[in-house]
Amino acid sequence: METVFITGGAGFIGSNLLLYLVPRHPDTCFVNLDKLTYAANLGYLEAIAHAPNYRFEQVDICDLEALRRLFGQYQPQGVIHLAAESHVDRSIESPFAFVETNVMGTLNLLQCAKEAWNGATDGHRFYHISTDEVYGALSLDGTPFRETDRYDPHSPYSASKASSDHFVHAYSDTYGLPVVISHCSNNYGPRQYGEKLIPLVIDRIVHSQPIPVYGTGENIRDWLFVEDHVRAIEAIYLRGKDREVYNIGGEHETTNIALVKRLVGLVDERLGRAEGTSLSLIQFVADRLGHDFRYAIDATKLRTSLGWTPLTSFDEGLRLTVDWYLELSTKK
Ligand SMILES: NC(=O)c1ccc[n+]([C@@H]2O[C@H](COP(=O)([O-])OP(=O)(O)OC[C@H]3O[C@@H](n4cnc5c(N)ncnc54)[C@H](O)[C@@H]3O)[C@@H](O)[C@H]2O)c1
């Protein structure tokens, strides 16, 4: 049985990825390596917790010796690396944890894979999950990010992700490690930690509390439903080419304020409130330091080379997401 390490599998994207992959690939054993930080929730993985092809190991990827032991124990053929400190606001408050986990943690995993695979490339793959934020910010008329665009990270978060990307390329160029990288735009969907924009806004509307919106709310993000990202990860892991970079995006750009207003409409409707009831909760607050104006992704390469395309429209994905968080809030 082939073994694949999934790091950060108890987080937002990792848990959605495992719930998708474990039942679909019964001949692969997926080992979830996660430290279980504040952002993790093992409860989300209940449906697969006892699957014969799933294991969980609580480990900090900053602990090189612990990782070496796990590589020795499981002899994985592949790694899909998602574990990271992922919240931009936290990186502005306290950048050090981002360098430790995102840079040193990634370096530890690369080193372990290099030692364990010892020059073998066939059947091996180190897949690093990165972000569109490494490319910097776009103006309104800027061309969406392509794989060949130069790096221009602005926040401590994106700088740490950019740095980890460079180490991944360096291990490929220097030691021949079979790597692949993808850069994805903003994900949304079930199982995201409550501090991120969409779950936070839904929670505030439900509880009729102020909804903070940075600056004038005109910043633009491209949104991708998490299950579409998960399908892209599967396609790239199985069929992507070594040493290639793939951009993944929903090609659905919207301003933060338009998104918040859409959520107000959806949640108020679901709660049986009159249209526009919660609009007055919106409060514009001091802008995030160094707030990137716009991100947008050109996913042409992924679409044409691997035949991937997002299947969930923004409207459908947002409805599914709202319903999931509303159900969660009734269970609390
Ligand atoms: N969420 C997005 O919109 C988005 C977009 C593009 C790329 N990404 C990237 O995707 C990956 C996953 O993002 P997410 O939103 O699921 O993040 P998340 O914060 O929800 O989850 C991160 C997971 O990593 C684990 N983790 C953190 N530090 C660790 C450590 N030192 N050792 C082991 N485990 C550790 C946490 O416990 C958690 O389970 C990240 O690499 C992120 O940069 C996210």
Side-chain angles (χ1 to χ4, degrees):
M1 196 185 240
E2 182 180 356
T3 296
V4 176
F5 280 179
I6 308 278
T7 73
F12 168 44
I13 301 171
S15 59
N16 282 287
L17 179 68
L18 280 163
L19 290 170
Y20 184 86
L21 292 180
V22 167
R24 277 177 182 78
H25 299 275
D27 295 333
T28 302
C29 179
F30 295 96
V31 185
N32 175 10
L33 309 189
D34 201 301
K35 178 183 173 183
L36 300 183
T37 67
Y38 75 93
N41 189 337
L42 269 188
Y44 292 155
L45 295 168
E46 240 167 55
I48 54 160
H50 303 293
N53 62 331
Y54 171 74
R55 304 276 184 284
F56 170 66
E57 295 285 350
Q58 184 167 5
V59 65
D60 184 343
I61 59 168
C62 298
D63 185 343
L64 179 60
E65 286 315 314
L67 285 181
R68 277 202 177 108
R69 277 195 296 279
L70 290 170
F71 271 78
Q73 180 184 337
Y74 287 101
Q75 312 263 314
Q77 280 77 21
V79 176
I80 306 180
H81 174 37
L82 298 103
E85 287 292 339
S86 68
H87 191 40
V88 176
D89 288 344
R90 286 179 188 256
S91 83
I92 293 167
E93 284 295 312
S94 175
F96 293 92
F98 286 72
V99 174
E100 281 157 22
T101 286
N102 299 1
V103 185
M104 288 307 297
T106 301
L107 180 57
N108 287 340
L109 285 163
L110 288 163
Q111 180 62 21
C112 287
K114 170 186 168 273
E115 290 170 7
W117 300 343
N118 196 23
T121 53
D122 270 5
H124 293 291
R125 169 149 283 177
F126 189 103
Y127 179 3
H128 179 61
I129 307 292
S130 187
T131 166
D132 59 354
E133 300 189 30
V134 299
Y135 297 120
L138 288 169
S139 59
L140 259 188
D141 56 358
T143 316
F145 302 129
R146 303 191 62 176
E147 289 81 357
T148 46
D149 283 357
R150 92 180 171 91
Y151 276 35
D152 184 21
H154 296 154
S155 72
Y157 164 67
S158 54
S160 69
K161 292 295 288 187
S163 174
S164 64
D165 292 358
H166 290 317
F167 275 102
V168 175
H169 287 298
Y171 266 65
S172 168
D173 294 344
T174 310
Y175 307 113
L177 199 74
V179 306
V180 65
I181 297 183
S182 61
H183 300 275
C184 191
S185 58
N186 275 33
N187 285 217
Y188 69 99
R191 303 178 193 85
Q192 188 169 29
Y193 188 68
E195 68 189 353
K196 300 281 172 70
L197 182 65
I198 290 181
L200 180 107
V201 170
I202 296 173
D203 185 70
R204 295 295 172 93
I205 302 168
V206 169
H207 296 102
S208 298
Q209 288 171 353
I211 305 167
V213 175
Y214 282 134
T216 57
E218 293 305 320
N219 297 63
I220 296 170
R221 297 293 179 262
D222 170 51
W223 292 93
L224 179 69
F225 191 57
V226 65
E227 226 175 76
D228 282 323
H229 187 193
V230 157
R231 290 176 33 258
I233 293 174
E234 181 192 41
I236 292 167
Y237 184 77
L238 294 176
R239 296 184 285 113
K241 277 173 69 178
D242 277 349
R243 305 164 73 101
E244 289 285 337
V245 174
Y246 297 90
N247 282 357
I248 312 170
E251 287 162 18
H252 187 98
E253 293 182 50
T254 184
T255 62
N256 288 344
I257 188 63
L259 171 62
V260 168
K261 287 182 175 169
R262 182 82 192 100
L263 288 169
V264 164
L266 282 172
V267 177
D268 277 349
E269 182 193 307
R270 288 287 198 264
L271 296 178
R273 297 176 184 163
E275 197 179 328
T277 303
S278 303
L279 283 175
S280 60
L281 298 173
I282 295 173
Q283 285 188 1
F284 294 100
V285 299
D287 209 356
R288 170 189 276 167
L289 294 175
H291 203 174
D292 285 341
F293 175 63
R294 174 177 168 233
Y295 305 132
I297 279 275
D298 180 344
T300 307
K301 177 176 173 180
L302 182 61
R303 283 175 180 272
T304 52
S305 62
L306 298 183
W308 172 89
T309 187
L311 297 179
T312 315
S313 72
F314 190 58
D315 202 50
E316 186 191 350
L318 222 46
R319 282 179 187 278
L320 288 169
T321 305
V322 164
D323 287 347
W324 191 86
Y325 286 103
L326 288 184
E327 204 186 317
L328 187 72
S329 73
T330 60
K331 285 183 195 154
K332 277 183 186 167

